């Protein structure tokens, strides 16, 4: 039986991510850039899988939510109406000695955490990243890279309602990039300046909002459990009065116990009718819903489950990480849910200098590749190949050995139990699909 170590420090995760090709520092050859990260071959698959299961669960498997892909660049008035120009700020302090800047709520005792120097009084700093549309850089062409995907869904409320003929309650879901000029990006990919969000804006009748809020809080909490996150590393936390955003009547955060402490994965807010009323006011357009039961036009309330894909990816990585002792040797394994694992199956020939084995293994890999993400690898000894696949969380390895040429069977090794079974080649595909929960 393997001994397990279930907690991991951030340095170990950062180094695994770099070594195995999950996440690299942005522009590393130029010394890196703060608050931006690049996802390597396995990181991009992990992120894509998170987005796919989210979209599958909230759009395809429900009939009350439709998707949207709005632009990152929007009319500058959007950000006035939303309150971002006025209120999307963090308090900032400067060090009078080393000139570094910090979020006022991240420093203690008015002293610079880097050099101990004296800090200035705090002042408000807007987190939106500015840009200019067109060739002239003046106030008239100023706009922002969106700091959240949400506003694209609010401004398209009437379009989606009209096109999809929905009745309340219904939702719009969107996945996309968002940008914030964070003063102190930190904790690897946890707080960055460029990130991806997965957001739902769920429109409900006023008066039913509190009940829907509770339902969405439960639904979203269960979603993280469904994909394998350990319950004891997840918790719900309700925002205190002064912590609430300007648009929110109530917010719950789903938090994960990262190596640096409890921190937000996703927020679920009751945004009331704030957004539709603001955009109606600023645009002059009517953003209402005709309620056939009462014969009146109403402004729906909005329940918003808003999660970060980068944060989810980091939490899934941290949560899946295990160090085990197997026959006195350390084994690192990512116990990722099969739906999230970047590679589902690896086909490995036991001997790479036997062309018949290599051919058979490659043939099997190309058949499996039509059904699931499959890797073929013959670049090291079988022990090292297993270790490599364990570290990226591949649920199954298929080994083709000399006997395979005679008995037309291969060995399937399960990642977590390390159990091995001999399976006739014609049954391999179905056995793997069953094991991956896709039978
Ligand atoms: N529309 C509401 C909204 O944007 P938020 O709590 O500011 O709410 C939602 O952001 C989610 O986006 C967070 O729970 C987090 O997962 C992610 N997120 C926010 N800022 C981030 C950042 N700087 N880096 C990475 N993810 C971030």
């Amino acid at each position: 039986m393997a001994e397990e170590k279930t907690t991991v420090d951030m340095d170990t995760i950062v180094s695994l991510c770099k070594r195995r090709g999950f996440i690299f520092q942005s522009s590393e050859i130029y010394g890196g850039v703060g608050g931006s990260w690049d996802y390597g071959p396995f990181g991009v698959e992990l992120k894509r899988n998170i987005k796919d299961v989210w979209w599958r669960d909230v759009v395809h498997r429900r009939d009350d939510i439709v998707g949207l892909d709005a632009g990152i660049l929007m009319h500058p008035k959007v950000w006035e109406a939303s309150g971002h120009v006025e209120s999307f700020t963090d308090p900032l302090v400067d060090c009078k000695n080393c000139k570094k800047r910090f979020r006022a709520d991240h420093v203690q005792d008015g002293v610079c955490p880097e050099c101990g120097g004296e800090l200035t009084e705090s002042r408000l700093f807007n987190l939106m990243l500015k840009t200019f549309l067109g060739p002239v850089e003046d106030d008239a062409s100023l706009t922002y890279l969106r700091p959240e995907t949400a506003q694209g869904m609010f401004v398209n409320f009437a379009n989606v309602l009209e096109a999809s003929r929905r009745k309340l309650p219904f939702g719009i879901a969107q996945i996309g990039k968002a940008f914030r000029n964070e003063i102190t990006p930190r904790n690897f990919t946890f707080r960055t300046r460029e990130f991806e969000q997965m957001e739902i804006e769920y429109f409900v009748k006023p008066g039913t909002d509190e009940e829907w809020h509770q339902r969405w809080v439960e639904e979203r909490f269960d979603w993280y459990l469904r994909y394998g996150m350990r319950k004891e590393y997840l918790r719900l936390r309700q925002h205190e009065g002064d912590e609430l955003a300007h648009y929110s009547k109530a917010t719950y955060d789903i938090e994960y116990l990262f190596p640096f402490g409890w921190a937000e994965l996703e927020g679920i807010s009751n945004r009331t009718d704030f957004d539709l009323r603001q955009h109606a006011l600023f645009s002059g357009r009517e953003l209402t819903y005709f309620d056939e039961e009462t014969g009146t036009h109403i402004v729906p309330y909005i329940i918003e489950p808003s999660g970060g894909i980068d944060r989810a990816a980091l939490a899934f990585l941290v949560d899946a990480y295990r160090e085990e002792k197997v026959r006195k040797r350390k084994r690192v394994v990512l116990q990722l849910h099969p739906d999230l694992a970047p590679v589902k199956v690896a086909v490995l020939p036991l001997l790479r200098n036997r062309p018949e084995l290599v051919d058979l293994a490659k043939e099997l890999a190309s058949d499996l590749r039509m059904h699931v993400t499959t890797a073929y690898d013959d670049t090291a000894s079988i022990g090292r190949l297993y270790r490599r696949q364990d570290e990226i969380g591949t649920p199954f390895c298929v080994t083709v050995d000399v006997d395979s040429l005679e008995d037309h069977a291969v060995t399937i090794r399960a990642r977590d139990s390390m159990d091995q079974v001999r399976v006739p080649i014609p049954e391999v595909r179905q056995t793997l699909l069953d094991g991956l929960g896709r039978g």
Side-chain angles (χ1 to χ4, degrees):
M1 188 53 197
E3 283 171 44
E4 261 193 20
K5 187 178 157 209
T6 55
T7 50
V8 58
D9 55 64
M10 279 309 285
D11 288 348
T12 306
I13 288 292
V14 174
S15 105
L16 174 86
C17 283
K18 162 117 202 231
R19 188 173 69 249
R20 288 298 180 212
F22 279 93
I23 302 171
F24 308 124
Q25 194 180 15
S26 168
S27 320
E28 191 190 69
I29 60 168
Y30 289 101
V33 63
S36 185
W37 297 87
D38 297 341
Y39 287 78
F42 299 120
V44 69
E45 295 293 337
L46 172 64
K47 245 180 120 176
R48 188 180 272 266
N49 291 341
I50 293 171
K51 291 187 262 190
D52 284 351
V53 294
W54 185 85
W55 194 266
R56 179 183 72 190
D57 293 341
V58 309
V59 180
H60 292 166
R61 290 194 175 166
R62 301 179 64 111
D63 72 352
D64 57 347
I65 299 188
V66 292
L68 184 78
D69 186 5
I72 287 172
L73 297 172
M74 301 181 75
H75 196 289
K77 272 208 159 172
V78 167
W79 308 111
E80 286 175 40
S82 68
H84 281 82
V85 171
E86 171 93 19
S87 323
F88 196 55
T89 51
D90 270 345
L92 162 91
V93 288
D94 290 292
C95 173
K96 290 182 183 169
N97 183 38
C98 71
K99 311 290 178 215
K100 291 217 168 108
R101 290 186 162 172
F102 306 94
R103 252 173 75 164
D105 53 340
H106 285 172
V107 295
Q108 284 169 344
D109 311 326
V111 178
C112 173
E114 296 271 325
C115 73
E118 192 189 338
L119 297 173
T120 59
E121 289 291 309
S122 81
R123 64 198 162 84
L124 292 176
F125 171 76
N126 195 295
L127 298 182
M128 283 196 294
L129 274 149
K130 292 191 178 84
T131 191
F132 298 94
L133 296 182
V136 184
E137 295 191 6
D138 60 10
D139 284 354
S141 61
L142 171 70
T143 191
Y144 306 91
L145 301 184
R146 67 179 176 201
E148 60 175 14
T149 65
Q151 301 300 325
M153 293 181 270
F154 303 142
V155 301
N156 277 296
F157 168 75
N159 285 335
V160 174
L161 186 63
E162 170 76 17
S164 66
R165 319 293 320 160
R166 295 279 151 174
K167 298 239 180 300
L168 290 183
F170 81 94
I172 308 179
Q174 178 164 227
I175 287 177
K177 290 261 185 183
F179 301 83
R180 297 182 189 180
N181 202 3
E182 298 284 355
I183 299 164
T184 37
R186 51 167 66 186
N187 292 328
F188 196 28
T189 53
F190 179 80
R191 187 179 306 287
T192 55
R193 294 189 171 123
E194 173 178 348
F195 54 95
E196 264 182 297
Q197 289 187 315
M198 43 190 185
E199 295 196 294
I200 301 166
E201 305 303 332
Y202 199 75
F203 302 91
V204 303
K205 285 189 185 172
T208 65
D209 51 303
E210 289 183 8
E211 188 197 327
W212 275 109
H213 193 195
Q214 285 307 317
R215 280 168 76 162
W216 273 111
V217 168
E218 282 163 30
E219 170 64 31
R220 293 305 305 148
F221 193 89
D222 289 348
W223 187 83
Y224 291 96
L225 297 177
R226 201 179 310 153
Y227 293 101
M229 248 181 226
R230 290 167 295 179
K231 199 169 185 180
E232 60 277 25
Y233 285 74
L234 277 174
R235 74 174 185 194
L236 271 181
R237 191 180 66 78
Q238 186 170 13
H239 280 205
E240 307 283 335
D242 60 351
E243 205 186 341
L244 281 177
H246 59 276
Y247 51 75
S248 175
K249 172 174 158 184
T251 295
Y252 289 88
D253 283 348
I254 298 174
E255 295 188 332
Y256 182 77
L257 184 53
F258 286 97
F260 47 85
W262 287 102
E264 175 188 345
L265 272 186
E266 170 159 347
I268 302 116
S269 295
N270 182 342
R271 296 185 72 119
T272 70
D273 55 3
F274 175 84
D275 305 284
L276 292 181
R277 284 197 188 282
Q278 284 293 102
H279 286 301
L281 188 68
F282 278 71
S283 68
R285 297 291 183 92
E286 199 186 330
L287 297 177
T288 57
Y289 169 87
F290 182 69
D291 183 8
E292 282 165 6
E293 272 173 34
T294 58
T296 55
H297 288 271
I298 58 174
V299 183
Y301 269 42
I302 296 173
I303 308 301
E304 175 190 67
S306 168
I309 293 154
D310 309 82
R311 283 191 190 174
L314 184 59
F316 279 120
L317 280 170
V318 166
D319 201 76
Y321 185 93
R322 302 282 189 288
E323 273 179 25
E324 301 175 347
K325 271 251 162 65
V326 180
R327 280 181 247 106
K328 300 204 174 135
R329 295 191 63 185
K330 182 168 105 172
R331 175 171 98 116
V332 171
V333 54
L334 286 188
Q335 292 190 351
L336 289 168
H337 187 285
D339 286 356
L340 302 184
V343 175
K344 313 298 182 203
V345 178
V347 183
L348 317 168
L350 196 63
L351 301 168
R352 63 178 145 154
N353 54 5
R354 290 283 298 270
E356 327 85 277
L357 284 194
V358 167
D359 288 349
L360 183 58
K362 283 189 173 166
E363 200 182 312
L364 185 57
S366 59
D367 170 54
L368 293 172
R369 206 168 277 135
M370 294 298 123
H371 306 272
V372 288
T373 320
T374 303
Y376 169 87
D377 196 357
D378 65 7
T379 57
S381 66
I382 194 70
R384 292 185 73 162
L385 294 179
Y386 280 155
R387 206 157 308 145
R388 220 179 257 173
Q389 296 301 328
D390 285 344
E391 284 201 6
I392 62 164
T394 305
F396 294 106
C397 288
V398 177
T399 310
V400 179
D401 57 27
V402 183
D403 290 342
S404 305
L405 299 171
E406 300 298 323
D407 66 1
H408 302 290
V410 291
T411 302
I412 297 181
R413 170 192 180 267
R415 176 194 67 196
D416 299 344
S417 63
M418 289 181 288
D419 288 346
Q420 304 199 2
V421 285
R422 197 79 185 159
V423 178
I425 290 173
E427 291 169 28
V428 168
R429 186 205 301 166
Q430 196 55 48
T431 308
L432 290 169
L433 290 174
D434 289 344
L436 293 166
R438 299 181 178 199

